[in-house]
Amino acid sequence: MAPASHHAKAPRPPRLAAGIDIGGTGLKVGLLEFTAQPRLVAVDVLEGHAREAPAEALDRLVGAAYALLEGQGIDPARLEVVGVGCAGLVDVPNGILRTSPNLPTWHDVPVRAELGKRLSRTVRLVNDAQAFLAAEWRHGAAQGAANAIFLTLGTGVGGGLVLNGKPYRGASGLGAEIGHLSVDLDGPPCSCGNRGCLELFVGRAAIERQAVEAGLDDERGISPARLADRAREGDARARRIFEETGRRLGVAIAGLVNLFEPEVVVVGGGVAAAGDLLLGPAEREFRERSMVARQRPVQLKPAALGPQAGMVGAALLAADPGSAG
Amino acid sequence: MAPASHHAKAPRPPRLAAGIDIGGTGLKVGLLEFTAQPRLVAVDVLEGHAREAPAEALDRLVGAAYALLEGQGIDPARLEVVGVGCAGLVDVPNGILRTSPNLPTWHDVPVRAELGKRLSRTVRLVNDAQAFLAAEWRHGAAQGAANAIFLTLGTGVGGGLVLNGKPYRGASGLGAEIGHLSVDLDGPPCSCGNRGCLELFVGRAAIERQAVEAGLDDERGISPARLADRAREGDARARRIFEETGRRLGVAIAGLVNLFEPEVVVVGGGVAAAGDLLLGPAEREFRERSMVARQRPVQLKPAALGPQAGMVGAALLAADPGSAG
């Protein structure tokens, strides 16, 4: 037996990664420590990038990441890797954002190379819904599921699939675009080129438009979160908007359940913060419509990690690329 | 070195399986020899089972299988296994047909046990679209594809998925129900419990109903095949029916391509025998609508094995269960 070392060592600090979430409405950056349960130690949210040039948005993100490290008194040398989740069609092998319906100025942006240059770190670029999936599947609402469907309802509607115990995004990572499944074949045109896409019915813009039409906005405008507050206070018009939105979400979920026979469907994103106002009607509708759900137990669950899921998942995927996608 | 045998042996006959296809319109049974390319040596088609009790239909199928063996002068002892593809929700592990929108008298029918008793052979029961997939993936239009979508347009509309190099049908084999994906959220009710299902727009009944409404039937009624003949002869009303049907098929394919980013989409079944009349408009529509198809090459192909695919695939899956799902 080898003798135990008599030299006491300082405990090694946990691994550290940055997670970046580039969505249609905001930019988020967080620092994640890999303790037993990964832990976000600091977060910054940057607004107003929708019409900004991609290079400027990336500059701001890099500045915010270094500011977080400094603010926490963390030696920047500890930052191992950077994970980025981005809304839109991501060419994962090449680290390029091809196109994004909700980021109109972003076309063929080599996000991995550009951030790698600015940060001198290994960067991994994935689709934002893929990052959401990684977080919710490993540490959230779908832990241990072999077959699961993930939906993020935000400015856009993102999708993720775990099939036979593995994330699935198609041959090169462009698939799982659940938001661009048409539920209304002659419905309104979508910026993606399709018509009647789920995103047009259950995304943030759809909710806000209906709220404005119902006169539910004020000088501050109206957000899904504020509309949910009004519904909870008993406003029937606000409740109806979530009911109809939930019903349409339920139609899409019924179709997805008929396709995938999953154990669980996880719904997150800003719009889903409405909770049962939205998920109640969605659950009633999909259970009524799906013959597969009548044969097998299928759970519908709200996301467990809230608005942090995208950052957490992007950091997880960068630190451990084989782990979840 | 061992001496070569001096006893000439009769060549061993190829392995023999029976393939059965239980669809919404007909029952098919075929004998398949496993030569380098599997070969159907005899086929029988039985009609009119839609309102028959399942036990009677199974009796007739067993009789037809033995008649085929006798007619070909084949020793029944050579029949190794029997594969059955059946329209509807199939509980594959237990060999039970749970329910089938187009077989209203079939509920919780233990097809595997019932046929096994009658035939004293190992029987494997799968979904008919799963059998179609096995045949077209191993020996037909999607050979070698790692990610492929399969659609059979018949009385019902069946679906199959190959994802990451493996067939996918959900946790217990009930998934891949592409025909019961809603493309029209408030559309007509489907017998499955959903509304606006793809099957209601591109199945045999939809084509025939439109043909009758357009006055294109005669004393013999109208079938998709005869309607296709009229369209090829230049009948504008018949062409329009296939165009509109193809367009709706294209809407569904666009959504599926956005979900799966496949290399190939294979369309078969009786309705697809209309060929380019149907697949031309479907191809135009899905290419216009799918953002994923604009980024990546996706082929749309007619099935290669025609109406025999279901029998061939069922026999393949029975003879070699690990091979294709």
Side-chain angles (χ1 to χ4, degrees):
Chain A
M1 198 178 145
S5 167
H6 291 281
H7 300 283
K9 279 186 189 167
R12 205 172 150 182
R15 295 178 66 197
L16 186 79
I20 290 174
D21 185 349
I22 302 178
T25 304
L27 303 169
K28 294 178 198 160
V29 54
L31 300 177
L32 197 81
E33 273 192 351
F34 291 91
T35 46
Q37 185 79 354
R39 192 175 69 90
L40 268 176
V41 293
V43 169
D44 196 5
V45 178
L46 316 175
E47 302 287 345
H49 71 301
R51 272 147 200 28
E52 188 174 36
E56 288 166 31
L58 297 177
D59 283 342
R60 287 209 290 151
L61 280 165
V62 169
Y66 280 117
L68 288 178
L69 288 165
E70 197 182 323
Q72 298 293 314
I74 297 173
D75 177 2
R78 272 188 60 207
L79 179 63
E80 272 184 43
V81 292
V82 177
V84 185
C86 192
L89 293 185
V90 173
D91 175 346
V92 174
N94 295 304
I96 296 171
L97 176 66
R98 290 294 176 202
T99 180
S100 182
N102 293 301
L103 294 168
T105 60
W106 297 56
H107 285 286
D108 293 325
V109 180
V111 174
R112 184 175 70 194
E114 289 296 320
L115 280 177
K117 206 164 58 185
R118 287 167 173 79
L119 287 160
S120 308
R121 296 289 188 294
T122 298
V123 175
R124 185 161 190 230
L125 177 69
V126 298
N127 173 274
D128 61 346
Q130 187 179 358
F132 173 84
L133 176 159
E136 291 289 335
W137 186 41
R138 302 256 320 263
H139 301 285
Q143 274 184 67
N147 299 286
I149 298 170
F150 300 81
L151 274 155
T152 55
L153 315 183
T155 309
V157 170
L161 302 169
V162 166
L163 306 176
N164 286 337
K166 278 168 50 179
Y168 180 83
R169 284 202 76 80
S172 75
L174 299 186
E177 284 292 344
I178 296 176
H180 299 284
L181 196 62
S182 178
V183 293
D184 183 3
L185 79 166
D186 291 317
C190 181
S191 59
C192 78
N194 203 348
R195 285 182 169 272
C197 288
L198 179 62
E199 179 167 307
L200 298 176
F201 296 115
V202 305
R204 185 184 172 105
I207 306 258
E208 292 179 356
R209 192 193 60 241
Q210 292 173 77
V212 169
E213 283 166 9
L216 290 164
D217 56 329
D218 57 24
E219 66 287 348
R220 291 182 298 159
I222 185 81
S223 68
R226 289 187 48 232
L227 189 69
D229 287 341
R230 296 196 64 154
R232 286 191 199 98
E233 289 157 9
D235 188 302
R237 295 163 301 172
R239 295 189 76 89
R240 258 199 310 277
I241 291 170
F242 284 113
E243 262 162 38
E244 181 58 17
T245 304
R247 192 177 75 84
R248 288 171 173 185
L249 178 61
V251 172
I253 292 175
L256 293 166
V257 167
N258 286 350
L259 275 183
F260 298 115
E261 195 203 337
E263 294 137 48
V264 58
V265 180
V266 179
V267 182
V271 173
D276 277 348
L277 290 168
L278 183 78
L279 296 186
E283 175 136 25
R284 282 194 295 280
E285 191 75 14
F286 106 78
R287 294 209 182 277
E288 191 180 308
R289 286 182 176 240
S290 168
M291 61 177 177
V292 170
R294 283 194 295 277
Q295 297 285 331
R296 301 282 301 177
V298 179
Q299 288 186 285
L300 178 64
K301 286 185 171 182
L305 299 177
Q308 305 191 327
M311 284 178 287
V312 170
L316 282 173
L317 288 171
D320 190 4
S323 64
Chain B
M1 194 177 149
S5 166
H6 291 281
H7 302 281
K9 279 185 189 167
R12 202 172 152 183
R15 297 178 65 196
L16 187 80
I20 290 174
D21 185 351
I22 302 179
T25 304
L27 304 170
K28 295 178 198 163
V29 53
L31 301 176
L32 195 82
E33 274 192 351
F34 290 90
T35 46
Q37 184 80 355
R39 192 175 69 90
L40 270 176
V41 293
V43 169
D44 197 5
V45 178
L46 316 175
E47 303 286 347
H49 71 299
R51 273 151 200 23
E52 188 173 39
E56 290 166 29
L58 296 176
D59 284 342
R60 287 208 289 150
L61 279 166
V62 169
Y66 280 117
L68 288 178
L69 288 165
E70 197 182 325
Q72 297 292 314
I74 296 172
D75 177 1
R78 272 187 59 207
L79 180 64
E80 273 184 41
V81 291
V82 178
V84 185
C86 192
L89 293 185
V90 173
D91 175 347
V92 174
N94 296 304
I96 296 172
L97 177 66
R98 291 293 174 203
T99 179
S100 182
N102 293 300
L103 294 168
T105 60
W106 296 58
H107 285 287
D108 292 326
V109 180
V111 173
R112 183 176 70 194
E114 289 296 319
L115 279 178
K117 206 165 60 186
R118 287 167 173 80
L119 286 160
S120 308
R121 295 288 187 296
T122 298
V123 175
R124 183 159 192 232
L125 177 69
V126 297
N127 172 274
D128 61 346
Q130 188 179 358
F132 174 84
L133 177 159
E136 291 288 337
W137 186 41
R138 303 256 319 263
H139 301 286
Q143 275 184 67
N147 298 287
I149 298 170
F150 299 81
L151 275 156
T152 56
L153 316 182
T155 308
V157 169
L161 302 169
V162 167
L163 306 176
N164 285 338
K166 278 169 50 178
Y168 180 84
R169 285 202 75 79
S172 75
L174 300 185
E177 284 291 345
I178 296 176
H180 299 284
L181 196 63
S182 178
V183 292
D184 183 3
L185 78 165
D186 291 317
C190 181
S191 58
C192 78
N194 203 348
R195 286 182 168 270
C197 288
L198 179 63
E199 178 167 306
L200 298 175
F201 296 115
V202 305
R204 186 184 171 106
I207 305 259
E208 291 179 358
R209 192 194 59 242
Q210 292 173 76
V212 168
E213 283 168 9
L216 290 164
D217 57 327
D218 58 22
E219 67 286 348
R220 291 181 299 158
I222 185 77
S223 68
R226 290 186 48 234
L227 189 69
D229 287 342
R230 296 196 63 157
R232 286 192 198 97
E233 288 157 8
D235 188 301
R237 295 163 303 173
R239 296 189 76 90
R240 256 198 310 278
I241 292 170
F242 284 113
E243 262 162 39
E244 182 57 17
T245 305
R247 192 177 75 84
R248 287 170 172 185
L249 178 62
V251 172
I253 291 175
L256 294 165
V257 166
N258 286 350
L259 275 183
F260 298 115
E261 196 204 337
E263 295 137 47
V264 58
V265 180
V266 180
V267 182
V271 172
D276 277 347
L277 289 167
L278 183 78
L279 297 187
E283 175 136 24
R284 280 193 296 279
E285 192 75 13
F286 104 79
R287 294 209 183 277
E288 192 180 309
R289 285 182 177 241
S290 168
M291 61 176 176
V292 170
R294 282 195 295 277
Q295 297 285 332
R296 301 282 302 176
V298 179
Q299 288 186 284
L300 178 65
K301 286 185 172 182
L305 299 176
Q308 306 191 328
M311 285 178 287
V312 170
L316 282 174
L317 288 172
D320 189 4
S323 64

